[in-house]
Amino acid sequence: MHRKLTGPLVAATHNAGKLREFRELLEPWRIAVVSAGDLGLPEPEETGDTFEANAKLKAFAAARAAKMPALADDSGLCVEALDGAPGIYSARWAGGSKDFSAAMTRVQQELLAVKAPRPWRAHFISALVIAWPDDHVEYFEGRVDGTLVFPPKGNNGFGYDPIFLPDGHSRGFGEMSAEEKHGIPADGSLALSHRARAFQMLARACL
Ligand code: IMP
């Protein structure tokens, strides 16, 4: 049985962009969102070896500390010819200075080094978790498949967006508006981005 979310929740993130996205997504349900940063909660180390493990670790740490339900996500780009890398290390490939053009160059160089045949298939994963202080947990995973294209194109989005062309589309994530990439269609059809797809599942189960 899924558990419904009724009151406010804490967003288990110290990332302003993620916090804004969580607030926008939850607004139609009038769920108030406070951030882990505002409550002065520490950021746990992401020691898990899967997206699911890292999302659960972040959500449980915040739920227990704040004594209210907590929402966390962990996401990344998985390149098939690189055995799923960078995967859970997607943010870390950009280094301390968060240089994603260097991270995208590294992806291309590694694909060339292993002589990966084209098309270069890849997918984004978003693992979304709501954890309650009594240890109840809800988990949802969204995925979007596509191919990697170089050189990077477009200035929209973030991270690896400029090299990702989702299947069935002629423009990449870096060329799409936020609404095209993350929007939740009002008619109930499938959203495009991995995070929006995971959120659609969460909304159906818990809101
Ligand atoms: P997290 O904060 O550990 O979940 O880091 C996720 C990382 O995966 C981000 O820093 C990006 O590098 C990458 N990533 C996740 N979702 C997206 C997306 O929608 N577009 C581009 N890159 C993404």
Side-chain angles (χ1 to χ4, degrees), residues 13 15 18 21 43 46 51 54 58 73-77 86-94 98 100 103 124-127 144 156-164 173-174 181-182 193-195:
T13 181
N15 174 321
K18 273 192 192 177
E21 216 172 285
E43 229 178 328
E46 295 185 22
F51 294 112
N54 281 331
K58 289 186 266 190
D73 101 317
D74 201 56
S75 56
L77 176 73
I88 60 167
Y89 302 106
S90 294
R92 280 168 262 185
W93 273 31
K98 300 201 171 18
F100 280 97
F124 279 113
I125 293 278
S126 167
V144 57
N156 297 340
F158 68 101
Y160 298 89
D161 279 341
I163 56 172
F164 189 77
F173 271 180
K181 184 188 162 196
H182 301 300
S193 87
H194 46 312
R195 202 167 295 100

Side-chain angles (χ1 to χ4, degrees), residues 31-68:
I31 304 270
V33 179
V34 289
S35 82
D38 289 345
L39 296 178
L41 306 182
E43 229 178 328
E45 221 188 305
E46 295 185 22
T47 51
D49 55 12
T50 60
F51 294 112
E52 179 175 353
N54 281 331
K56 285 186 175 167
L57 198 141
K58 289 186 266 190
F60 273 119
R64 287 177 189 142
K67 299 189 173 50
M68 63 170 127

